[in-house]
Amino acid sequence: GESVGLHLPTLSVQEGDNSIINCAYSNSASDYFIWYKQESGKGPQFIIDIRSNMDKRQGQRVTVLLNKTVKHLSLQIAATQPGDSAVYFCAENNDWGKLQFGAGTQVVVTP
Amino acid sequence: DSGVTQTPKHLITATGQRVTLRCSPRSGDLSVYWYQQSLDQGLQFLIQYYNGEERAKGNILERFSAQQFPDLHSELNLSSLELGDSALYFCASSGTGDNEKLFFGSGTQLSVL
């Protein structure tokens, strides 16, 4: 069935380095993608989104890349900081009202 | 702070019981969504309401029900609780201008003993 999945369950990154979190999606009809960050004890927090008519979008220290050919989404975090330690979810919204989440990637920032 | 308020933060109850989770959306948001987050299932969409009407349904059990009131707050009712219902339940809301971007509350941690 349709699914959104993450390649790496845990990503360990040294403080100051760049992080790359990957996500694969299977539904080619998906036209909107979102990255969320979830810190311990908190709800998912919106980071950045991208529509299928774009292949790159930048925010503050974050960049999302979309490759529709291989159905792949990535989140790049520049100069990773301790506060970036969290679980990151990609999600697709191809059916209004049904935001479908991937399994999540735990990012651990080491000093 | 997302602006979405959920109560209670923690709930401990026994099997067979019934509980009600409450959510107040961001000011002005008409859509409310409920999600369940468990370790083995991840974040699962349960149900969505828009301006008081049910809009979309996900993997919500028949033992569960929800509603959205005229003041736009929503309640999720879980009945005949089982051990497997233990999870984090999140409410999210979105506005009319950007319906696809959801803002989540801090969740209710439900423990069924």
Side-chain angles (χ1 to χ4, degrees):
Chain A
E2 300 171 4
S3 65
V4 177
L6 291 167
H7 294 307
L8 299 174
T10 303
L11 179 66
S12 186
V13 182
Q14 198 155 17
E15 183 177 354
D17 287 352
N18 297 334
S19 305
I20 300 177
I21 307 165
N22 296 303
C23 177
Y25 64 95
S26 59
N27 190 342
S28 56
S30 297
D31 61 1
Y32 181 64
F33 304 88
I34 310 173
W35 281 100
Y36 280 91
K37 170 187 180 183
Q38 187 176 18
E39 297 174 273
S40 181
K42 297 184 179 181
Q45 176 188 358
F46 171 84
I47 301 174
I48 192 168
D49 57 1
I50 189 168
R51 298 197 180 273
S52 59
N53 61 352
M54 304 171 67
D55 54 20
K56 181 180 179 178
R57 191 168 187 212
Q58 288 183 290
Q60 189 173 12
R61 282 201 307 119
V62 294
T63 301
V64 56
L65 299 177
L66 175 62
N67 186 330
K68 293 181 288 295
T69 303
V70 295
K71 290 184 281 189
H72 184 267
L73 191 68
S74 69
L75 178 70
Q76 300 178 2
I77 305 173
T80 310
Q81 303 170 358
D84 295 326
S85 292
V87 176
Y88 289 80
F89 294 96
C90 64
E92 59 181 315
N93 192 357
N94 58 351
D95 184 1
W96 193 58
K98 291 186 179 181
L99 194 62
Q100 192 170 345
F101 284 80
T105 293
Q106 175 78 56
V107 172
V108 178
V109 181
T110 58
Chain B
D1 183 8
S2 67
V4 178
T5 304
Q6 287 188 250
T7 57
K9 286 195 178 300
H10 303 277
L11 202 48
I12 301 174
T13 188
T15 55
Q17 295 299 305
R18 181 179 187 274
V19 296
T20 298
L21 281 52
R22 183 188 169 100
C23 169
S24 294
R26 291 189 318 160
S27 178
D29 282 358
L30 297 182
S31 280
V32 170
Y33 307 75
W34 287 97
Y35 281 81
Q36 179 192 56
Q37 186 176 40
S38 57
L39 290 176
D40 59 345
Q41 293 289 321
L43 266 164
Q44 298 289 318
F45 169 74
L46 295 178
I47 198 164
Q48 181 212 353
Y49 278 80
Y50 177 81
N51 203 20
E53 299 288 326
E54 182 184 305
R55 192 62 182 252
K57 222 169 190 177
N59 301 320
I60 187 166
L61 299 171
E62 286 192 11
R63 299 184 285 109
F64 296 179
S65 64
Q67 56 186 123
Q68 186 179 26
F69 295 86
D71 67 352
L72 301 177
H73 90 270
S74 178
E75 292 180 355
L76 179 66
N77 301 297
L78 315 176
S79 61
S80 302
L81 285 167
E82 302 174 0
L83 296 177
D85 297 327
S86 296
L88 258 171
Y89 291 84
F90 286 105
C91 170
S93 74
S94 68
T96 55
D98 193 3
N99 291 334
E100 296 162 318
K101 187 188 300 178
L102 304 187
F103 295 87
F104 284 81
S106 297
T108 293
Q109 177 69 63
L110 174 65
S111 299
V112 182
L113 306 178

PDB file of all heavy atoms in Angstrom, chain A residues 65-102:
ATOM      1  N   LEU A  65      14.742  19.086  -0.264  1.00  0.00           N
ATOM      2  CA  LEU A  65      14.924  18.731  -1.659  1.00  0.00           C
ATOM      3  C   LEU A  65      13.922  17.649  -2.026  1.00  0.00           C
ATOM      4  O   LEU A  65      13.716  16.705  -1.254  1.00  0.00           O
ATOM      5  CB  LEU A  65      16.350  18.216  -1.902  1.00  0.00           C
ATOM      6  CG  LEU A  65      17.489  19.191  -1.606  1.00  0.00           C
ATOM      7  CD1 LEU A  65      18.835  18.491  -1.832  1.00  0.00           C
ATOM      8  CD2 LEU A  65      17.394  20.425  -2.467  1.00  0.00           C
ATOM      9  N   LEU A  66      13.325  17.800  -3.184  1.00  0.00           N
ATOM     10  CA  LEU A  66      12.340  16.837  -3.655  1.00  0.00           C
ATOM     11  C   LEU A  66      12.769  16.294  -5.005  1.00  0.00           C
ATOM     12  O   LEU A  66      12.975  17.061  -5.952  1.00  0.00           O
ATOM     13  CB  LEU A  66      10.964  17.491  -3.760  1.00  0.00           C
ATOM     14  CG  LEU A  66       9.829  16.645  -4.345  1.00  0.00           C
ATOM     15  CD1 LEU A  66       9.565  15.421  -3.465  1.00  0.00           C
ATOM     16  CD2 LEU A  66       8.564  17.479  -4.507  1.00  0.00           C
ATOM     17  N   ASN A  67      12.884  14.993  -5.089  1.00  0.00           N
ATOM     18  CA  ASN A  67      13.210  14.342  -6.351  1.00  0.00           C
ATOM     19  C   ASN A  67      12.037  13.446  -6.726  1.00  0.00           C
ATOM     20  O   ASN A  67      11.906  12.326  -6.213  1.00  0.00           O
ATOM     21  CB  ASN A  67      14.498  13.522  -6.220  1.00  0.00           C
ATOM     22  CG  ASN A  67      14.949  12.936  -7.547  1.00  0.00           C
ATOM     23  OD1 ASN A  67      14.143  12.642  -8.417  1.00  0.00           O
ATOM     24  ND2 ASN A  67      16.246  12.777  -7.712  1.00  0.00           N
ATOM     25  N   LYS A  68      11.197  13.943  -7.603  1.00  0.00           N
ATOM     26  CA  LYS A  68       9.974  13.206  -7.942  1.00  0.00           C
ATOM     27  C   LYS A  68      10.272  11.993  -8.812  1.00  0.00           C
ATOM     28  O   LYS A  68       9.507  11.034  -8.823  1.00  0.00           O
ATOM     29  CB  LYS A  68       8.996  14.142  -8.656  1.00  0.00           C
ATOM     30  CG  LYS A  68       8.476  15.247  -7.738  1.00  0.00           C
ATOM     31  CD  LYS A  68       7.495  16.145  -8.455  1.00  0.00           C
ATOM     32  CE  LYS A  68       8.170  17.042  -9.466  1.00  0.00           C
ATOM     33  NZ  LYS A  68       9.088  18.026  -8.841  1.00  0.00           N
ATOM     34  N   THR A  69      11.378  12.019  -9.514  1.00  0.00           N
ATOM     35  CA  THR A  69      11.729  10.906 -10.385  1.00  0.00           C
ATOM     36  C   THR A  69      11.920   9.623  -9.585  1.00  0.00           C
ATOM     37  O   THR A  69      11.462   8.550  -9.983  1.00  0.00           O
ATOM     38  CB  THR A  69      13.014  11.218 -11.173  1.00  0.00           C
ATOM     39  OG1 THR A  69      12.814  12.416 -11.921  1.00  0.00           O
ATOM     40  CG2 THR A  69      13.355  10.076 -12.117  1.00  0.00           C
ATOM     41  N   VAL A  70      12.610   9.764  -8.449  1.00  0.00           N
ATOM     42  CA  VAL A  70      12.856   8.589  -7.607  1.00  0.00           C
ATOM     43  C   VAL A  70      12.018   8.613  -6.337  1.00  0.00           C
ATOM     44  O   VAL A  70      12.231   7.790  -5.436  1.00  0.00           O
ATOM     45  CB  VAL A  70      14.362   8.462  -7.258  1.00  0.00           C
ATOM     46  CG1 VAL A  70      15.171   8.203  -8.524  1.00  0.00           C
ATOM     47  CG2 VAL A  70      14.856   9.714  -6.545  1.00  0.00           C
ATOM     48  N   LYS A  71      11.093   9.559  -6.259  1.00  0.00           N
ATOM     49  CA  LYS A  71      10.193   9.671  -5.104  1.00  0.00           C
ATOM     50  C   LYS A  71      10.982   9.743  -3.806  1.00  0.00           C
ATOM     51  O   LYS A  71      10.827   8.910  -2.893  1.00  0.00           O
ATOM     52  CB  LYS A  71       9.176   8.533  -5.112  1.00  0.00           C
ATOM     53  CG  LYS A  71       8.158   8.685  -6.249  1.00  0.00           C
ATOM     54  CD  LYS A  71       7.088   7.614  -6.216  1.00  0.00           C
ATOM     55  CE  LYS A  71       7.615   6.328  -6.786  1.00  0.00           C
ATOM     56  NZ  LYS A  71       6.564   5.306  -6.973  1.00  0.00           N
ATOM     57  N   HIS A  72      11.814  10.751  -3.736  1.00  0.00           N
ATOM     58  CA  HIS A  72      12.699  10.904  -2.593  1.00  0.00           C
ATOM     59  C   HIS A  72      12.677  12.350  -2.093  1.00  0.00           C
ATOM     60  O   HIS A  72      12.639  13.303  -2.877  1.00  0.00           O
ATOM     61  CB  HIS A  72      14.126  10.512  -3.001  1.00  0.00           C
ATOM     62  CG  HIS A  72      15.108  10.546  -1.886  1.00  0.00           C
ATOM     63  ND1 HIS A  72      15.874  11.658  -1.614  1.00  0.00           N
ATOM     64  CD2 HIS A  72      15.445   9.612  -0.960  1.00  0.00           C
ATOM     65  CE1 HIS A  72      16.653  11.397  -0.579  1.00  0.00           C
ATOM     66  NE2 HIS A  72      16.413  10.169  -0.170  1.00  0.00           N
ATOM     67  N   LEU A  73      12.675  12.458  -0.788  1.00  0.00           N
ATOM     68  CA  LEU A  73      12.625  13.755  -0.118  1.00  0.00           C
ATOM     69  C   LEU A  73      13.768  13.797   0.882  1.00  0.00           C
ATOM     70  O   LEU A  73      14.057  12.778   1.532  1.00  0.00           O
ATOM     71  CB  LEU A  73      11.282  13.840   0.617  1.00  0.00           C
ATOM     72  CG  LEU A  73      10.778  15.132   1.208  1.00  0.00           C
ATOM     73  CD1 LEU A  73      10.432  16.131   0.108  1.00  0.00           C
ATOM     74  CD2 LEU A  73       9.540  14.834   2.048  1.00  0.00           C
ATOM     75  N   SER A  74      14.413  14.944   1.006  1.00  0.00           N
ATOM     76  CA  SER A  74      15.453  15.042   2.032  1.00  0.00           C
ATOM     77  C   SER A  74      15.366  16.384   2.747  1.00  0.00           C
ATOM     78  O   SER A  74      14.875  17.372   2.199  1.00  0.00           O
ATOM     79  CB  SER A  74      16.844  14.851   1.415  1.00  0.00           C
ATOM     80  OG  SER A  74      17.174  15.945   0.588  1.00  0.00           O
ATOM     81  N   LEU A  75      15.835  16.359   3.974  1.00  0.00           N
ATOM     82  CA  LEU A  75      15.917  17.571   4.783  1.00  0.00           C
ATOM     83  C   LEU A  75      17.371  17.789   5.147  1.00  0.00           C
ATOM     84  O   LEU A  75      18.003  16.886   5.712  1.00  0.00           O
ATOM     85  CB  LEU A  75      15.073  17.429   6.052  1.00  0.00           C
ATOM     86  CG  LEU A  75      15.128  18.623   7.014  1.00  0.00           C
ATOM     87  CD1 LEU A  75      14.410  19.831   6.413  1.00  0.00           C
ATOM     88  CD2 LEU A  75      14.520  18.259   8.370  1.00  0.00           C
ATOM     89  N   GLN A  76      17.877  18.939   4.813  1.00  0.00           N
ATOM     90  CA  GLN A  76      19.249  19.274   5.172  1.00  0.00           C
ATOM     91  C   GLN A  76      19.221  20.351   6.244  1.00  0.00           C
ATOM     92  O   GLN A  76      18.545  21.359   6.100  1.00  0.00           O
ATOM     93  CB  GLN A  76      20.009  19.766   3.938  1.00  0.00           C
ATOM     94  CG  GLN A  76      20.079  18.726   2.828  1.00  0.00           C
ATOM     95  CD  GLN A  76      20.786  19.239   1.588  1.00  0.00           C
ATOM     96  OE1 GLN A  76      21.258  20.369   1.551  1.00  0.00           O
ATOM     97  NE2 GLN A  76      20.858  18.390   0.565  1.00  0.00           N
ATOM     98  N   ILE A  77      19.982  20.104   7.300  1.00  0.00           N
ATOM     99  CA  ILE A  77      20.110  21.071   8.379  1.00  0.00           C
ATOM    100  C   ILE A  77      21.555  21.555   8.384  1.00  0.00           C
ATOM    101  O   ILE A  77      22.484  20.739   8.534  1.00  0.00           O
ATOM    102  CB  ILE A  77      19.749  20.456   9.746  1.00  0.00           C
ATOM    103  CG1 ILE A  77      18.352  19.838   9.703  1.00  0.00           C
ATOM    104  CG2 ILE A  77      19.830  21.512  10.841  1.00  0.00           C
ATOM    105  CD1 ILE A  77      17.979  19.068  10.971  1.00  0.00           C
ATOM    106  N   ALA A  78      21.734  22.819   8.216  1.00  0.00           N
ATOM    107  CA  ALA A  78      23.089  23.381   8.194  1.00  0.00           C
ATOM    108  C   ALA A  78      23.567  23.686   9.613  1.00  0.00           C
ATOM    109  O   ALA A  78      22.784  24.077  10.482  1.00  0.00           O
ATOM    110  CB  ALA A  78      23.102  24.653   7.359  1.00  0.00           C
ATOM    111  N   ALA A  79      24.862  23.460   9.834  1.00  0.00           N
ATOM    112  CA  ALA A  79      25.483  23.789  11.119  1.00  0.00           C
ATOM    113  C   ALA A  79      24.641  23.269  12.282  1.00  0.00           C
ATOM    114  O   ALA A  79      24.142  24.050  13.108  1.00  0.00           O
ATOM    115  CB  ALA A  79      25.692  25.293  11.227  1.00  0.00           C
ATOM    116  N   THR A  80      24.484  21.979  12.341  1.00  0.00           N
ATOM    117  CA  THR A  80      23.612  21.341  13.326  1.00  0.00           C
ATOM    118  C   THR A  80      23.995  21.739  14.752  1.00  0.00           C
ATOM    119  O   THR A  80      25.172  21.742  15.120  1.00  0.00           O
ATOM    120  CB  THR A  80      23.674  19.821  13.177  1.00  0.00           C
ATOM    121  OG1 THR A  80      23.482  19.477  11.802  1.00  0.00           O
ATOM    122  CG2 THR A  80      22.557  19.164  13.978  1.00  0.00           C
ATOM    123  N   GLN A  81      22.974  22.039  15.526  1.00  0.00           N
ATOM    124  CA  GLN A  81      23.158  22.499  16.914  1.00  0.00           C
ATOM    125  C   GLN A  81      22.540  21.488  17.882  1.00  0.00           C
ATOM    126  O   GLN A  81      21.689  20.695  17.486  1.00  0.00           O
ATOM    127  CB  GLN A  81      22.482  23.862  17.082  1.00  0.00           C
ATOM    128  CG  GLN A  81      22.980  24.923  16.121  1.00  0.00           C
ATOM    129  CD  GLN A  81      22.115  26.172  16.148  1.00  0.00           C
ATOM    130  OE1 GLN A  81      21.115  26.247  16.847  1.00  0.00           O
ATOM    131  NE2 GLN A  81      22.519  27.164  15.361  1.00  0.00           N
ATOM    132  N   PRO A  82      22.941  21.525  19.134  1.00  0.00           N
ATOM    133  CA  PRO A  82      22.348  20.599  20.116  1.00  0.00           C
ATOM    134  C   PRO A  82      20.828  20.665  20.149  1.00  0.00           C
ATOM    135  O   PRO A  82      20.153  19.652  20.348  1.00  0.00           O
ATOM    136  CB  PRO A  82      22.969  21.062  21.442  1.00  0.00           C
ATOM    137  CG  PRO A  82      24.272  21.656  21.049  1.00  0.00           C
ATOM    138  CD  PRO A  82      24.031  22.327  19.718  1.00  0.00           C
ATOM    139  N   GLY A  83      20.274  21.837  19.935  1.00  0.00           N
ATOM    140  CA  GLY A  83      18.816  21.997  19.923  1.00  0.00           C
ATOM    141  C   GLY A  83      18.135  21.326  18.761  1.00  0.00           C
ATOM    142  O   GLY A  83      16.904  21.245  18.726  1.00  0.00           O
ATOM    143  N   ASP A  84      18.919  20.851  17.803  1.00  0.00           N
ATOM    144  CA  ASP A  84      18.344  20.136  16.656  1.00  0.00           C
ATOM    145  C   ASP A  84      18.108  18.659  16.975  1.00  0.00           C
ATOM    146  O   ASP A  84      17.498  17.943  16.179  1.00  0.00           O
ATOM    147  CB  ASP A  84      19.261  20.250  15.432  1.00  0.00           C
ATOM    148  CG  ASP A  84      19.379  21.675  14.925  1.00  0.00           C
ATOM    149  OD1 ASP A  84      18.394  22.427  15.023  1.00  0.00           O
ATOM    150  OD2 ASP A  84      20.477  22.040  14.444  1.00  0.00           O
ATOM    151  N   SER A  85      18.588  18.213  18.118  1.00  0.00           N
ATOM    152  CA  SER A  85      18.360  16.823  18.521  1.00  0.00           C
ATOM    153  C   SER A  85      16.866  16.591  18.701  1.00  0.00           C
ATOM    154  O   SER A  85      16.215  17.269  19.503  1.00  0.00           O
ATOM    155  CB  SER A  85      19.101  16.511  19.826  1.00  0.00           C
ATOM    156  OG  SER A  85      20.487  16.528  19.647  1.00  0.00           O
ATOM    157  N   ALA A  86      16.329  15.660  17.945  1.00  0.00           N
ATOM    158  CA  ALA A  86      14.886  15.401  17.967  1.00  0.00           C
ATOM    159  C   ALA A  86      14.598  14.261  16.999  1.00  0.00           C
ATOM    160  O   ALA A  86      15.506  13.739  16.347  1.00  0.00           O
ATOM    161  CB  ALA A  86      14.107  16.638  17.543  1.00  0.00           C
ATOM    162  N   VAL A  87      13.334  13.894  16.909  1.00  0.00           N
ATOM    163  CA  VAL A  87      12.896  12.965  15.870  1.00  0.00           C
ATOM    164  C   VAL A  87      12.306  13.791  14.738  1.00  0.00           C
ATOM    165  O   VAL A  87      11.519  14.710  14.969  1.00  0.00           O
ATOM    166  CB  VAL A  87      11.848  11.970  16.398  1.00  0.00           C
ATOM    167  CG1 VAL A  87      11.344  11.073  15.274  1.00  0.00           C
ATOM    168  CG2 VAL A  87      12.433  11.131  17.524  1.00  0.00           C
ATOM    169  N   TYR A  88      12.711  13.476  13.531  1.00  0.00           N
ATOM    170  CA  TYR A  88      12.253  14.207  12.355  1.00  0.00           C
ATOM    171  C   TYR A  88      11.356  13.287  11.524  1.00  0.00           C
ATOM    172  O   TYR A  88      11.717  12.150  11.218  1.00  0.00           O
ATOM    173  CB  TYR A  88      13.443  14.701  11.530  1.00  0.00           C
ATOM    174  CG  TYR A  88      14.176  15.810  12.224  1.00  0.00           C
ATOM    175  CD1 TYR A  88      15.090  15.529  13.245  1.00  0.00           C
ATOM    176  CD2 TYR A  88      13.942  17.146  11.901  1.00  0.00           C
ATOM    177  CE1 TYR A  88      15.747  16.549  13.913  1.00  0.00           C
ATOM    178  CE2 TYR A  88      14.604  18.165  12.566  1.00  0.00           C
ATOM    179  CZ  TYR A  88      15.492  17.858  13.570  1.00  0.00           C
ATOM    180  OH  TYR A  88      16.145  18.866  14.242  1.00  0.00           O
ATOM    181  N   PHE A  89      10.197  13.816  11.170  1.00  0.00           N
ATOM    182  CA  PHE A  89       9.240  13.069  10.368  1.00  0.00           C
ATOM    183  C   PHE A  89       9.030  13.763   9.035  1.00  0.00           C
ATOM    184  O   PHE A  89       8.860  14.978   8.984  1.00  0.00           O
ATOM    185  CB  PHE A  89       7.873  13.006  11.053  1.00  0.00           C
ATOM    186  CG  PHE A  89       7.838  12.230  12.332  1.00  0.00           C
ATOM    187  CD1 PHE A  89       7.969  12.876  13.549  1.00  0.00           C
ATOM    188  CD2 PHE A  89       7.646  10.862  12.316  1.00  0.00           C
ATOM    189  CE1 PHE A  89       7.919  12.156  14.740  1.00  0.00           C
ATOM    190  CE2 PHE A  89       7.592  10.145  13.498  1.00  0.00           C
ATOM    191  CZ  PHE A  89       7.731  10.800  14.709  1.00  0.00           C
ATOM    192  N   CYS A  90       8.995  12.972   7.991  1.00  0.00           N
ATOM    193  CA  CYS A  90       8.484  13.494   6.743  1.00  0.00           C
ATOM    194  C   CYS A  90       7.028  13.062   6.637  1.00  0.00           C
ATOM    195  O   CYS A  90       6.622  12.061   7.232  1.00  0.00           O
ATOM    196  CB  CYS A  90       9.284  12.996   5.541  1.00  0.00           C
ATOM    197  SG  CYS A  90       9.215  11.218   5.271  1.00  0.00           S
ATOM    198  N   ALA A  91       6.244  13.830   5.927  1.00  0.00           N
ATOM    199  CA  ALA A  91       4.833  13.502   5.763  1.00  0.00           C
ATOM    200  C   ALA A  91       4.373  13.966   4.396  1.00  0.00           C
ATOM    201  O   ALA A  91       4.905  14.934   3.842  1.00  0.00           O
ATOM    202  CB  ALA A  91       4.003  14.161   6.858  1.00  0.00           C
ATOM    203  N   GLU A  92       3.406  13.251   3.861  1.00  0.00           N
ATOM    204  CA  GLU A  92       2.835  13.645   2.588  1.00  0.00           C
ATOM    205  C   GLU A  92       1.343  13.864   2.773  1.00  0.00           C
ATOM    206  O   GLU A  92       0.706  13.212   3.595  1.00  0.00           O
ATOM    207  CB  GLU A  92       3.079  12.583   1.515  1.00  0.00           C
ATOM    208  CG  GLU A  92       2.499  11.222   1.838  1.00  0.00           C
ATOM    209  CD  GLU A  92       2.773  10.196   0.759  1.00  0.00           C
ATOM    210  OE1 GLU A  92       2.609  10.524  -0.423  1.00  0.00           O
ATOM    211  OE2 GLU A  92       3.159   9.068   1.105  1.00  0.00           O
ATOM    212  N   ASN A  93       0.824  14.777   2.012  1.00  0.00           N
ATOM    213  CA  ASN A  93      -0.593  15.086   2.102  1.00  0.00           C
ATOM    214  C   ASN A  93      -1.202  15.027   0.714  1.00  0.00           C
ATOM    215  O   ASN A  93      -1.360  16.039   0.059  1.00  0.00           O
ATOM    216  CB  ASN A  93      -0.802  16.462   2.721  1.00  0.00           C
ATOM    217  CG  ASN A  93      -2.256  16.697   3.094  1.00  0.00           C
ATOM    218  OD1 ASN A  93      -3.101  15.855   2.848  1.00  0.00           O
ATOM    219  ND2 ASN A  93      -2.534  17.837   3.658  1.00  0.00           N
ATOM    220  N   ASN A  94      -1.506  13.818   0.272  1.00  0.00           N
ATOM    221  CA  ASN A  94      -2.080  13.667  -1.052  1.00  0.00           C
ATOM    222  C   ASN A  94      -3.589  13.485  -1.001  1.00  0.00           C
ATOM    223  O   ASN A  94      -4.229  13.269  -1.993  1.00  0.00           O
ATOM    224  CB  ASN A  94      -1.454  12.474  -1.780  1.00  0.00           C
ATOM    225  CG  ASN A  94      -1.651  11.185  -1.004  1.00  0.00           C
ATOM    226  OD1 ASN A  94      -2.099  11.211   0.130  1.00  0.00           O
ATOM    227  ND2 ASN A  94      -1.303  10.076  -1.600  1.00  0.00           N
ATOM    228  N   ASP A  95      -4.120  13.543   0.183  1.00  0.00           N
ATOM    229  CA  ASP A  95      -5.559  13.372   0.355  1.00  0.00           C
ATOM    230  C   ASP A  95      -5.976  14.306   1.477  1.00  0.00           C
ATOM    231  O   ASP A  95      -5.633  14.058   2.621  1.00  0.00           O
ATOM    232  CB  ASP A  95      -5.869  11.908   0.694  1.00  0.00           C
ATOM    233  CG  ASP A  95      -7.363  11.646   0.777  1.00  0.00           C
ATOM    234  OD1 ASP A  95      -8.139  12.597   0.560  1.00  0.00           O
ATOM    235  OD2 ASP A  95      -7.735  10.503   1.052  1.00  0.00           O
ATOM    236  N   TRP A  96      -6.687  15.359   1.154  1.00  0.00           N
ATOM    237  CA  TRP A  96      -6.957  16.427   2.118  1.00  0.00           C
ATOM    238  C   TRP A  96      -7.488  15.881   3.431  1.00  0.00           C
ATOM    239  O   TRP A  96      -8.474  15.172   3.483  1.00  0.00           O
ATOM    240  CB  TRP A  96      -7.954  17.420   1.526  1.00  0.00           C
ATOM    241  CG  TRP A  96      -8.044  18.682   2.309  1.00  0.00           C
ATOM    242  CD1 TRP A  96      -7.020  19.532   2.581  1.00  0.00           C
ATOM    243  CD2 TRP A  96      -9.192  19.220   2.925  1.00  0.00           C
ATOM    244  NE1 TRP A  96      -7.482  20.583   3.320  1.00  0.00           N
ATOM    245  CE2 TRP A  96      -8.814  20.429   3.548  1.00  0.00           C
ATOM    246  CE3 TRP A  96     -10.522  18.808   3.012  1.00  0.00           C
ATOM    247  CZ2 TRP A  96      -9.699  21.216   4.250  1.00  0.00           C
ATOM    248  CZ3 TRP A  96     -11.412  19.615   3.697  1.00  0.00           C
ATOM    249  CH2 TRP A  96     -10.998  20.799   4.322  1.00  0.00           C
ATOM    250  N   GLY A  97      -6.824  16.172   4.467  1.00  0.00           N
ATOM    251  CA  GLY A  97      -7.213  15.710   5.786  1.00  0.00           C
ATOM    252  C   GLY A  97      -6.444  14.492   6.249  1.00  0.00           C
ATOM    253  O   GLY A  97      -6.573  14.087   7.386  1.00  0.00           O
ATOM    254  N   LYS A  98      -5.653  13.898   5.397  1.00  0.00           N
ATOM    255  CA  LYS A  98      -4.898  12.717   5.784  1.00  0.00           C
ATOM    256  C   LYS A  98      -3.420  12.954   5.577  1.00  0.00           C
ATOM    257  O   LYS A  98      -2.877  12.629   4.529  1.00  0.00           O
ATOM    258  CB  LYS A  98      -5.342  11.506   4.966  1.00  0.00           C
ATOM    259  CG  LYS A  98      -6.745  11.017   5.283  1.00  0.00           C
ATOM    260  CD  LYS A  98      -7.026   9.730   4.533  1.00  0.00           C
ATOM    261  CE  LYS A  98      -8.406   9.206   4.836  1.00  0.00           C
ATOM    262  NZ  LYS A  98      -8.683   7.939   4.131  1.00  0.00           N
ATOM    263  N   LEU A  99      -2.806  13.544   6.569  1.00  0.00           N
ATOM    264  CA  LEU A  99      -1.362  13.738   6.529  1.00  0.00           C
ATOM    265  C   LEU A  99      -0.725  12.421   6.946  1.00  0.00           C
ATOM    266  O   LEU A  99      -0.900  11.964   8.064  1.00  0.00           O
ATOM    267  CB  LEU A  99      -0.974  14.871   7.482  1.00  0.00           C
ATOM    268  CG  LEU A  99       0.428  15.440   7.353  1.00  0.00           C
ATOM    269  CD1 LEU A  99       0.632  16.052   5.988  1.00  0.00           C
ATOM    270  CD2 LEU A  99       0.661  16.477   8.434  1.00  0.00           C
ATOM    271  N   GLN A 100       0.002  11.802   6.036  1.00  0.00           N
ATOM    272  CA  GLN A 100       0.568  10.482   6.269  1.00  0.00           C
ATOM    273  C   GLN A 100       2.042  10.625   6.644  1.00  0.00           C
ATOM    274  O   GLN A 100       2.834  11.138   5.858  1.00  0.00           O
ATOM    275  CB  GLN A 100       0.403   9.643   5.009  1.00  0.00           C
ATOM    276  CG  GLN A 100       0.670   8.177   5.187  1.00  0.00           C
ATOM    277  CD  GLN A 100       0.243   7.389   3.960  1.00  0.00           C
ATOM    278  OE1 GLN A 100      -0.487   7.898   3.105  1.00  0.00           O
ATOM    279  NE2 GLN A 100       0.703   6.174   3.856  1.00  0.00           N
ATOM    280  N   PHE A 101       2.384  10.137   7.822  1.00  0.00           N
ATOM    281  CA  PHE A 101       3.729  10.319   8.354  1.00  0.00           C
ATOM    282  C   PHE A 101       4.608   9.111   8.113  1.00  0.00           C
ATOM    283  O   PHE A 101       4.153   7.968   8.119  1.00  0.00           O
ATOM    284  CB  PHE A 101       3.666  10.567   9.861  1.00  0.00           C
ATOM    285  CG  PHE A 101       3.225  11.947  10.239  1.00  0.00           C
ATOM    286  CD1 PHE A 101       1.878  12.294  10.230  1.00  0.00           C
ATOM    287  CD2 PHE A 101       4.147  12.913  10.602  1.00  0.00           C
ATOM    288  CE1 PHE A 101       1.466  13.562  10.569  1.00  0.00           C
ATOM    289  CE2 PHE A 101       3.742  14.194  10.953  1.00  0.00           C
ATOM    290  CZ  PHE A 101       2.406  14.514  10.936  1.00  0.00           C
ATOM    291  N   GLY A 102       5.884   9.374   7.957  1.00  0.00           N
ATOM    292  CA  GLY A 102       6.874   8.320   7.936  1.00  0.00           C
ATOM    293  C   GLY A 102       7.190   7.879   9.350  1.00  0.00           C
ATOM    294  O   GLY A 102       6.652   8.405  10.319  1.00  0.00           O
TER     295      GLY A 102
END
